Amino acid sequence: MKVAIVGAGIVGVTTAYELAASGHEVTVFERRGAAAEETSFANAGMVAPGYVTPWAAPGMPAKVLRELWRPHAAVRLGWPMAWHELRWIAAWWRACKPPVHAANRARLQRLALYSRDRLHGLSAELRLEYDCSPGVLVLMRSEKERQRVMAGVPLLQEAGVRLEELTPQQARGVEPALAPARDFAGALHLPDDGVANCRQFALLLKKEAQALGAQFEFHSTVKPLDSGSPAILQVARGDGPPTTRAFDAVVLCGGVDAAALLRPVGVQLPLAAVHGYSVSAPIAEPLNAPRSGVMDERYKVAITRLGQRVRVAGGAQIGGRADHNRPDVIRTLYKVLQDWFPASARLTGQMQQWKGARAMLPDGPPVVGASGVPGVWLNLGHGSSGWALSCGSARALADLMSGRTPEIDLEGLDLSRLGL
């Protein structure tokens, strides 16, 4: 088939590779000037199926309301807030019911485990070299946090996630640079999870897709789909007028703007942008830096080592202006880094601050599969777990589009889950 892909983030690039490897003629349209320049640019880098879980969880609404005005809240609301964002919050609230959360958590972890295996397989098969390191350590500051995290361990073990509860002393054996004066209740070690540079991988895999014949057209904006001929796209290059491009199939892998592209063909996808932040800085002294990935359970902030840099990432902000950075979120990132690895990074000069819009569905899992509109396919809504889910969802979609049975059960990952 002649296939168009909209979006060249990590999900679009992995989808392009898998479709090209399946023998399809692939063209990727991206509005930016290169691949992985938006949400995939400077994310935490976590590839951690054991820590992939829906934000829509029992007790979360009360927790968000309690912490909303605290200086280091994990979730923040921004103003102004659009009507679709308010509707998204209402849908998220409804998805926090225990049975809904349990089903969505199982779906996410199933896809994440498959995706991790596919990432490792591709990396070995194609001999891709990028910044990566094994292991994730979840740090629990209080006994209450420890009890909450450990309550979910049986579900992780049932899903096949290898893990071990550690005392603070044992945790320091895994991450020797943890601040000696910092007291905490314990840690959960996930040795099969890890961190990897998402953008490096995306750029390497893009070259592999091109070697298979995939074409990437940058500075190209796709207009909303035409209900009469949804696989015939109107594509504008730069400031020029749109041109007509005909395909057999279209795959939407873009961010929040995908909802507007789908609206004319009757697909009302409840996507919202949940913004995250990161700070990246050169390592000051390797012995004072993390070895791999560390997650602060209280503040939902990740500290990762990516080559010769330390990256601290977190924050979940819905609403507000996309071009406005919240100083309070950045302060939280600095606080968490200072708490755990105070002498790890040079926080001057070559520092990089980043804010990215993560396209998220209210109940957590993405949508992977047919849209219900002939010729239109979806690989959308991965939220903050896009890097952890991308390789698996791309392979599964390529299998579906090629008439093969996917290697993974896709129950609950289609539009029927959302009542669409």
Side-chain angles (χ1 to χ4, degrees):
M1 284 192 299
K2 188 178 180 181
V3 181
I5 295 175
V6 182
I10 186 61
V11 175
V13 169
T14 51
T15 302
Y17 174 82
E18 295 289 2
L19 286 171
S22 297
H24 299 286
E25 183 182 342
V26 176
T27 303
V28 182
F29 297 105
E30 167 58 47
R31 64 184 179 181
R32 301 296 290 264
E37 283 208 335
E38 294 193 24
T39 308
S40 305
F41 184 78
N43 56 34
M46 288 276 194
V47 182
Y51 209 75
V52 171
T53 186
W55 288 4
M60 276 298 290
K63 180 180 178 181
V64 170
L65 290 174
R66 263 195 324 268
E67 297 188 354
L68 201 54
W69 308 115
R70 292 181 181 175
H72 297 294
V75 180
R76 292 169 172 84
L77 301 181
W79 306 102
M81 187 168 289
W83 279 111
H84 80 274
E85 291 169 329
L86 292 171
R87 290 194 297 270
W88 188 95
I89 291 173
W92 167 79
W93 193 292
R94 293 192 295 271
C96 289
K97 297 176 182 176
V100 178
H101 170 260
N104 285 327
R105 180 172 182 167
R107 291 160 181 157
L108 274 173
Q109 288 177 344
R110 183 171 69 241
L111 180 57
L113 287 166
Y114 175 64
S115 186
R116 185 186 65 192
D117 291 344
R118 184 59 182 155
L119 169 63
H120 293 169
L122 280 173
S123 299
E125 176 188 342
L126 300 174
R127 298 181 181 180
L128 304 180
E129 295 185 4
Y130 48 92
D131 294 336
C132 59
S133 50
V136 168
L137 195 66
V138 180
L139 297 173
M140 300 166 288
R141 292 175 180 254
S142 69
E143 178 60 23
K144 184 177 180 180
E145 289 170 19
R146 192 193 71 80
Q147 291 176 6
R148 184 174 65 246
V149 170
M150 296 309 298
V153 162
L155 289 175
L156 293 176
Q157 293 173 326
E158 187 178 324
V161 176
R162 193 161 65 99
L163 49 82
E164 181 183 7
E165 184 182 7
L166 303 181
T167 65
Q169 182 178 358
Q170 290 170 325
R172 295 184 193 280
V174 174
E175 286 288 355
L178 285 170
R182 178 60 49 186
D183 292 328
F184 57 104
L188 196 65
H189 186 220
L190 307 167
D192 296 332
D193 292 354
V195 301
N197 192 309
C198 178
R199 186 165 189 261
Q200 283 183 351
F201 178 85
L203 295 177
L204 291 170
L205 196 65
K206 168 183 164 285
K207 290 183 179 179
E208 299 293 335
Q210 288 174 312
L212 294 172
Q215 302 292 317
F216 285 76
E217 298 191 15
F218 297 105
H219 300 296
S220 298
T221 302
V222 175
K223 303 298 181 182
L225 304 184
D226 186 331
S227 59
S229 49
I232 298 178
L233 301 182
Q234 297 294 315
V235 183
R237 292 292 302 273
D239 296 329
T243 58
T244 301
R245 307 284 295 273
F247 296 90
D248 299 313
V250 176
V251 185
L252 296 184
C253 298
V256 179
D257 292 342
L261 301 186
L262 287 165
R263 210 165 289 129
V265 298
V267 180
Q268 303 292 327
L269 204 60
L271 282 172
V274 179
H275 289 91
Y277 294 75
S278 73
V279 174
S280 305
I283 289 175
E285 166 51 60
L287 292 177
N288 293 332
R291 290 179 171 179
S292 185
V294 171
M295 173 63 69
D296 185 303
E297 171 64 20
R298 177 174 300 176
Y299 298 109
K300 306 298 183 185
V301 168
I303 306 170
T304 54
R305 181 172 185 156
L306 296 171
Q308 297 305 309
R309 292 182 300 164
V310 171
R311 178 170 293 163
V312 52
Q317 176 195 332
I318 183 168
R321 291 176 20 228
D323 60 351
H324 174 66
N325 288 344
R326 297 268 308 242
D328 50 352
V329 181
I330 301 298
R331 283 195 293 270
T332 297
L333 300 185
Y334 284 132
K335 169 189 164 47
V336 173
L337 181 62
Q338 181 67 23
D339 283 351
W340 297 112
F341 300 96
S344 61
R346 294 198 299 268
L347 299 177
T348 58
Q350 299 178 24
M351 276 180 49
Q352 176 193 76
Q353 290 188 4
W354 170 86
K355 176 184 178 182
R358 303 170 295 199
M360 188 176 292
L361 292 162
D363 61 348
V367 168
V368 181
S371 70
V373 178
V376 180
W377 297 79
L378 306 176
N379 198 358
L380 288 169
H382 298 73
S384 60
S385 300
W387 179 208
L389 303 175
S390 56
C391 291
S393 60
R395 178 57 182 264
L397 184 69
D399 285 340
L400 288 173
M401 294 181 67
S402 303
R404 301 187 297 262
T405 300
E407 300 170 326
I408 180 178
D409 180 7
L410 294 176
E411 180 277 326
L413 296 176
D414 59 9
L415 282 177
S416 64
R417 181 187 89 242
L418 302 171
L420 299 175

